[in-house]
Amino acid sequence: MTKELKIHPLDPLYADELSNAVSIVKRDSGLNDTGWFETITLDEPSKQELAQHKLGDPIKRRAYVCCYEPSSNRTLRGIVDLDEGKLAGWEHVKGVQARIVPDEFSAGEAIIKKDKHFIDACVKRGITDLDKVLVETWAAGNFEVAEEQGERIAYCHCWVCNDAGDNRYGRPIGNLHPVVDLQRMKVIRIDDFGVVPLPPDTSAIRPTENLRADIKKLEIKQPDGPSFTVDGYGVEWQRWHIRVGYSLREGLVLHNIGYEDGGAVRPIMHRASMAEMVVPYGDPANGNFRRNAFDTGEYGIGNALDSLKLGCDCLGHIHYFDVCSHDWLGNAAEIKNAVCMHEEDFGILWKHTDVPTGTMRAVRSRRLVISSLCTIGNYVYGFFWYFYQDGTIGVEVKATGIPFPSAIAPGEKPKYGAMIAPGIEAHVHQHTFSFRFDMCVDGEKNSVREVEFQAAPVGPGNPHGNAVEIIDRQLESELEAQREIDMQRARYWKIVSSERKNALGLSTAYKLVPGANALPLLDPESPVAKRAGFMFKHFWATQYHPEELYPAGWYPNQSGPGKGLPEWTKADRSINNADVVTWYTLGFNHLPRPEDWPVQPVVYASFHWMPDGFFDQNPALDVPPNGFQE
Ligand code: NI
């Protein structure tokens, strides 16, 4: 990938820039030979820099770099000024552990598989072919175990591959958990809670026989090409203006989301991303309480993006965006087709029939889909962003892959899980995602309102008991703006412009419309809950601060309590006529089913942003009846 001439300040880091950053850090930071690269990604320009930038201006490019140095057990980070060819800052971040990167994940496995006690524990279970064994070095969390404090620890889970060779998680090894020191690359101990028979081999994930033969070809054709235009990472489609971005940690990031109206692009969001996630598992036995994946902050989503395949991952006229990841040595690793963009027919957009005359208009809806998929161990997450012609933005998570399987002894019944295959249980867990939206609805100054409804008391003004009171109130500050969904009151939140009014004289706004969701089932004082405080509220609003990007803090790996949103919002800053950032927690409970084995059909979780008085009337009245211009 080479740098285009028309590079934009928000373009993801290019391979040559990434390599430059590595050279400069190696030359100037004092990092020693044991050091490796956790993150090399674009240090995004400030809002001021972006506001001043005009196309064709020379642009400043900076890289954010985070390293881990095993010899000193230090996490170090800084900014590289790529134009000046020098470090613009470098610091030791005390008391934190860098993310576990994929190379470290595999290195940990290799160490464990050579450990005599681990081999003995396998033999005790009748497993002699170590090539078939998978050991995953999961982030250990922080359970206040004295010997783990300040150390770089991974808590491991083990499986044997199925006979078909296509499911490394096919036969879980029960009760066997090596604990590894990733700083010294040595096994600390083997947690062996007793032999559970290896479950029988079950079905293959990629069968080649007995595939259904009754499904005909489906082709999506756009003979005149797609309706979007692409310039580098910039996209225009049906009045939407969007810039595709990427961060090594969050994966797909969207910037500068705006809608063209009356000849000008009206800003809605500066930046949108899935900023953190956590999947706490609900089984307390043996080592199972250790499974609480903060996949973004503990492992990284951007370095796990799939290279998407046309016809499998994506169907239709696709535009792919490539991004540049890297390995722990700092070698650039391009991910081709990391982000997919295409149009989809989405059924009816609107319809009206004049019954007496039979005249009608039904308009088809088209949506723009920008998505990426990432594979993290057993699991696959898809992050899908939908842009609609009526100004709606949809956000959807697709969860698939292999549900985390555990062995269960014959005759035993799962207490905190469900049987999904013979000898295999899957524990109940919660998938929880925190989306961050840096808002700018018709300008930088926004306010936050909560809208809900209640039955009015029966009385002289409401004799029939049908009156519905609409409660629309301002949330003034960060502590006031920590809210939960309330189905009884049909609650939602609006981000309101301080500057612009619509034709009715009301402030223009976008509303966040929750869909199905969940609340944490963790005890609030549990070690995991304290590290994932963001889970406990569906909605948060904060005053923008450039360092406040990740709701469980910058370093969730073995983190202490209270980081991120709970910590920042103690300041209780004003969100009235302020630069507002909103955070939405999207979750679902998952008690896997037999139908989720050996691979789980996609589970969907979603929510929407809708214009609410942002436009003066239906903005999609002008969509042609058959959905396209003849
Ligand atoms: Ni699940």
Side-chain angles (χ1 to χ4, degrees):
M1 189 162 38
T2 51
K3 203 188 313 189
E4 303 287 326
L5 287 174
K6 272 200 295 181
I7 184 173
H8 185 277
L10 287 168
D11 283 3
L13 220 54
Y14 292 93
D16 58 337
E17 296 178 315
L18 195 148
S19 303
N20 275 345
V22 169
S23 308
I24 293 162
V25 167
K26 282 184 175 170
R27 189 188 68 200
D28 296 344
S29 72
L31 186 74
N32 70 25
D33 288 348
T34 67
W36 50 256
F37 291 83
E38 182 226 60
T39 302
I40 310 159
T41 202
L42 178 71
D43 179 51
E44 291 171 21
S46 70
K47 293 188 185 188
Q48 249 178 342
E49 285 173 291
L50 278 176
Q52 285 161 8
H53 173 76
K54 287 188 291 295
L55 199 67
D57 284 357
I59 53 166
K60 295 199 189 320
R61 296 282 281 174
R62 294 183 303 264
Y64 166 85
V65 179
C66 179
C67 293
Y68 176 69
E69 191 178 71
S71 63
S72 61
N73 190 27
R74 290 187 305 164
T75 297
L76 305 135
R77 69 171 181 184
I79 302 295
V80 180
D81 184 325
L82 293 165
D83 304 305
E84 302 283 329
K86 63 176 193 192
L87 276 182
W90 191 253
E91 59 170 342
H92 167 212
V93 193
K94 294 198 175 70
V96 305
Q97 285 293 333
R99 285 188 291 106
I100 296 178
V101 297
D103 299 277
E104 194 184 25
F105 208 76
S106 344
E109 179 184 31
I111 302 288
I112 293 154
K113 284 164 82 167
K114 287 189 198 126
D115 181 81
K116 186 186 175 302
H117 300 288
F118 178 71
I119 297 169
D120 290 349
C122 286
V123 169
K124 205 162 74 174
R125 289 164 165 83
I127 304 159
T128 50
D129 184 357
L130 269 284
D131 287 342
K132 286 193 147 191
V133 171
L134 169 68
V135 183
E136 286 199 342
T137 52
W138 281 45
N142 189 341
F143 293 88
E144 287 151 30
V145 178
E147 66 175 30
E148 296 178 5
Q149 297 306 308
E151 304 292 331
R152 187 167 177 80
I153 303 295
Y155 199 85
C156 306
H157 308 277
C158 311
W159 298 266
V160 175
C161 192
N162 66 340
D163 286 341
D166 64 1
N167 185 353
R168 291 180 191 280
Y169 303 86
R171 306 178 74 189
I173 306 176
N175 282 346
L176 182 60
H177 303 281
V179 186
V180 62
D181 176 338
L182 291 173
Q183 181 205 351
R184 300 174 186 88
M185 281 295 168
K186 63 170 196 184
V187 177
I188 297 175
R189 63 174 199 269
I190 306 289
D191 280 359
D192 187 342
F193 300 103
V195 174
V196 180
L198 203 60
D201 194 4
T202 49
S203 61
I205 290 184
R206 295 188 289 272
T208 50
E209 284 167 14
N210 300 322
L211 298 180
R212 58 181 77 178
D214 56 351
I215 182 154
K216 306 278 192 255
K217 189 185 272 188
L218 174 72
E219 288 182 344
I220 310 287
K221 286 199 173 137
Q222 293 187 274
D224 303 324
S227 314
F228 52 72
T229 57
V230 183
D231 183 6
Y233 288 87
V235 176
E236 290 180 27
W237 178 82
Q238 290 289 289
R239 310 209 172 133
W240 283 106
H241 290 237
I242 303 149
R243 189 157 275 284
V244 171
Y246 166 77
S247 102
L248 192 87
R249 177 165 173 156
E250 299 157 282
L252 175 59
V253 175
L254 298 179
H255 301 280
N256 296 357
I257 299 171
Y259 195 93
E260 199 176 318
D261 182 28
V265 179
R266 297 172 60 187
I268 300 165
M269 294 172 188
H270 267 296
R271 190 183 191 279
S273 68
M274 197 285 287
E276 188 54 273
M277 54 174 289
V278 62
V279 187
Y281 281 75
D283 184 73
N286 304 327
N288 295 337
F289 64 93
R290 291 276 190 167
R291 297 204 311 262
N292 304 280
F294 293 68
D295 290 287
T296 315
E298 286 181 338
Y299 310 107
I301 298 288
N303 52 4
L305 293 188
D306 293 347
S307 186
L308 301 170
K309 302 253 180 314
L310 186 63
C312 310
D313 294 301
C314 325
L315 189 64
H317 189 117
I318 307 296
H319 183 90
Y320 287 113
F321 297 90
D322 303 337
V323 299
C324 193
S325 174
H326 61 85
D327 65 11
W328 66 345
L329 302 175
N331 299 307
E334 191 177 23
I335 306 177
K336 291 284 275 178
N337 300 354
V339 177
C340 165
M341 180 173 75
H342 69 282
E343 292 174 278
E344 279 178 3
D345 178 276
F346 195 61
I348 301 291
L349 174 57
W350 59 261
K351 177 173 182 172
H352 172 72
T353 305
D354 183 62
V355 174
T357 59
T359 337
M360 79 83 175
R361 183 172 285 190
V363 172
R364 290 210 70 76
S365 175
R366 188 89 62 94
R367 66 181 184 181
L368 182 74
V369 190
I370 303 177
S371 68
S372 64
L373 287 157
C374 74
T375 300
I376 298 197
N378 54 310
Y379 228 64
V380 177
Y381 290 106
F383 300 100
F384 283 66
W385 297 78
Y386 301 107
F387 295 87
Y388 296 85
Q389 291 158 305
D390 66 350
T392 298
I393 301 170
V395 186
E396 186 170 66
V397 176
K398 300 187 184 185
T400 176
I402 303 170
F404 191 105
S406 299
I408 184 167
E412 270 189 39
K413 285 202 171 72
K415 187 167 180 198
Y416 298 103
M419 295 300 296
I420 58 169
I424 301 178
E425 65 169 322
H427 297 128
V428 61
H429 55 276
Q430 295 195 293
H431 296 262
T432 314
F433 308 87
S434 176
F435 285 85
R436 177 182 181 275
F437 300 94
D438 183 352
M439 305 300 294
C440 53
V441 177
D442 276 326
E444 207 59 76
K445 296 265 181 278
N446 288 173
S447 296
V448 182
R449 301 192 72 84
E450 179 172 271
V451 182
E452 57 188 17
F453 307 85
Q454 67 185 13
V458 177
N462 179 27
H464 312 293
N466 67 312
V468 179
E469 289 175 355
I470 302 159
I471 300 150
D472 183 335
R473 69 185 185 98
Q474 181 138 324
L475 302 177
E476 298 284 348
S477 69
E478 291 174 331
L479 289 176
E480 204 185 336
Q482 300 178 4
R483 307 295 295 161
E484 290 166 23
I485 291 168
D486 186 337
M487 201 157 88
Q488 181 73 53
R489 299 171 76 80
R491 183 179 290 161
Y492 61 86
W493 300 278
K494 280 197 301 196
I495 306 302
V496 175
S497 171
S498 303
E499 282 151 24
R500 184 154 172 162
K501 301 229 184 307
N502 61 23
L504 302 173
L506 305 169
S507 295
T508 59
Y510 255 76
K511 69 173 172 183
L512 196 164
V513 187
N517 210 323
L519 274 166
L521 298 166
L522 293 164
D523 184 283
E525 290 305 308
S526 67
V528 181
K530 287 195 283 190
R531 294 171 55 231
F534 70 87
M535 285 183 84
F536 285 81
K537 298 292 169 188
H538 292 120
F539 179 85
W540 303 72
T542 55
Q543 193 185 97
Y544 173 79
H545 185 287
E547 289 283 308
E548 295 176 2
L549 292 171
Y550 311 118
W554 276 70
Y555 297 96
N557 187 15
Q558 296 182 265
S559 62
K563 302 288 186 227
L565 279 170
E567 189 171 59
W568 308 326
T569 53
K570 277 185 193 156
D572 200 23
R573 294 163 294 191
S574 167
I575 47 168
N576 183 9
N577 296 328
D579 186 354
V580 171
V581 176
T582 62
W583 311 72
Y584 183 67
T585 309
L586 171 66
F588 62 92
N589 297 339
H590 191 193
L591 179 62
R593 311 162 297 160
E595 289 87 345
D596 295 334
W597 187 258
V599 62
Q600 171 188 314
V602 166
V603 172
Y604 302 86
S606 63
F607 62 99
H608 292 85
W609 283 94
M610 291 176 81
D612 187 352
F614 187 80
F615 301 106
D616 296 335
Q617 59 168 12
N618 179 352
L621 272 186
D622 58 351
V623 177
N626 54 6
F628 62 93
Q629 197 62 51
E630 298 277 8

